[in-house]
Amino acid sequence: MWRRVASLSSSISSSFLAQTASRLNTWESLTTGIAQQAKGVIAPKEKTPFITFVLGGPGSGKGTQCIKIVETFGFAHLSAGDLLRREIASKSADGAMILNTIKEGKIVPSQVTVKLIQKEMELSDNHKFLIDGFPRTEENRVSFERIIGVEPNVVLFFDCPEEEMVKRVLNRNEGRVDDNLETIKKRLTVFQALSLPVINYYSERGKLYTIKAIGTEDEIFEQVRPIFAAFETVG
Ligand SMILES: Nc1ncnc2c1ncn2[C@@H]1O[C@H](COP(=O)(O)OP(=O)(O)OP(=O)(O)O)[C@@H](O)[C@H]1O
Ligand SMILES: O=c1ccn([C@@H]2O[C@H](COP(=O)(O)O)[C@@H](O)[C@H]2O)c(=O)[nH]1
Ligand SMILES: [Mg+2]
């Protein structure tokens, strides 16, 4: 788990690296626990995590593009929606609450989602994470920073017209309980009201990369590719 020694892109400024390195200490103590490390239960993660948040409205193509990013750049893909659906399927204590929340197009309490993401990050051998469909609210964002102790390096925003998103979701055909017109309308309202402020937050901090999410999947990926290529090649 994160045993390899960092060779992170030198395109990242030294102040950024210093900032990230200091956060790594917080990361280690929060996620693995000093006591567990002392007992040799969990090895310290030696490589600085590289975190990408993948944001955009319902059906904007986040999951589709994440598959391509994983294939091309070797990230671990953590879809918050998939983690929540897995909780429902496993009939966990939160399963019923999560199902109702998803049916209503609302947002699951941050603590639940962050805990699931944290667990996946800890279990991963990778240090490069695509966190898909999270954070969806300012509260999600603050909660992630507080619990995980790191900020994203990159935030992708798949910007897609509503009409196109609705068309895609209604054609998705994966049996999702929220892929119906009534829930989609609610999800779009939640996206505008709660998720756009998160996108604006990262835009103000210079971390946002906006992708015009119309055209073929390959055309869209050609906008995504140079973003990660830049982080890979320099350094
Ligand atoms: N560029 C595209 N053109 C047409 N259809 C697309 C495109 N990209 C993805 N799709 C299709 O649109 C649907 C939604 O895509 P995807 O599941 O990737 O979106 P998403 O942003 O992850 O949605 P959600 O937030 O609901 O999980 C899928 O059926 C996918 O195959
Ligand atoms: O961080 C999250 C992510 C998702 N949800 C809920 O799940 C559905 C589906 O999410 P997708 O990313 O579209 O698969 C979403 O509408 C929310 O209800 C969440 O609460 N928090
Ligand atoms: Mg998705």
Side-chain angles (χ1 to χ4, degrees):
M1 293 170 197
W2 285 353
R3 285 195 155 278
R4 287 152 292 176
V5 177
S7 63
L8 204 61
S9 163
S10 65
S11 69
I12 302 167
S13 71
S14 54
S15 69
F16 169 83
L17 282 175
Q19 209 184 2
T20 313
S22 84
R23 282 193 191 115
L24 185 58
N25 293 331
T26 319
W27 164 262
E28 284 182 4
S29 59
L30 279 173
T31 58
T32 61
I34 290 163
Q36 283 176 309
Q37 283 181 30
K39 279 189 258 164
V41 177
I42 297 174
K45 295 181 187 298
E46 287 162 7
K47 200 160 181 180
T48 308
F50 186 94
I51 293 175
T52 299
F53 286 156
V54 183
L55 306 179
S60 58
K62 301 180 294 297
T64 303
Q65 293 298 319
C66 280
I67 292 169
K68 291 177 177 291
I69 299 167
V70 167
E71 284 168 1
T72 312
F73 295 104
F75 277 71
H77 178 202
L78 310 187
S79 157
D82 285 350
L83 294 176
L84 293 169
R85 284 183 284 273
R86 198 169 77 187
E87 284 297 290
I88 298 170
S90 73
K91 303 197 187 311
S92 78
D94 289 325
M97 175 278 289
I98 295 171
L99 176 61
N100 286 332
T101 309
I102 288 181
K103 276 185 183 164
E104 284 301 310
K106 293 182 179 164
I107 306 299
V108 171
S110 298
Q111 192 192 330
V112 172
T113 315
V114 174
K115 212 169 69 186
L116 294 173
I117 293 172
Q118 181 184 33
K119 203 164 114 196
E120 289 302 303
M121 291 176 78
E122 285 177 8
L123 287 173
S124 179
D125 280 336
N126 211 326
H127 75 289
K128 301 197 293 187
F129 298 101
L130 283 178
I131 303 186
D132 167 7
F134 179 94
R136 274 178 139 89
T137 66
E138 277 289 282
E139 200 223 335
N140 275 176
R141 177 184 70 70
V142 171
S143 179
F144 181 92
E145 284 174 14
R146 183 172 46 79
I147 296 171
I148 310 290
V150 287
E151 289 181 17
N153 303 85
V154 168
V155 180
L156 298 183
F157 168 39
F158 289 92
D159 189 12
C160 192
E162 282 200 1
E163 207 183 273
E164 175 69 15
M165 293 196 278
V166 172
K167 199 170 80 185
R168 288 183 192 175
V169 168
L170 291 179
N171 286 332
R172 182 155 44 189
N173 222 5
E174 286 178 5
R176 279 177 51 163
V177 293
D178 52 350
D179 279 357
N180 58 77
L181 194 54
E182 194 187 338
T183 311
I184 294 161
K185 283 183 185 164
K186 291 178 184 166
R187 296 178 69 198
L188 287 169
T189 304
V190 166
F191 176 72
Q192 292 283 337
L194 303 180
S195 306
L196 278 181
V198 178
I199 289 162
N200 291 335
Y201 173 89
Y202 288 120
S203 174
E204 282 162 16
R205 273 150 193 80
K207 290 190 173 179
L208 192 75
Y209 295 81
T210 300
I211 310 293
K212 287 192 174 60
I214 34 175
T216 67
E217 294 173 14
D218 286 344
E219 282 167 353
I220 295 165
F221 187 64
E222 288 315 312
Q223 297 175 62
V224 173
R225 187 195 297 277
I227 298 165
F228 294 105
F231 280 95
E232 285 229 321
T233 52
V234 192

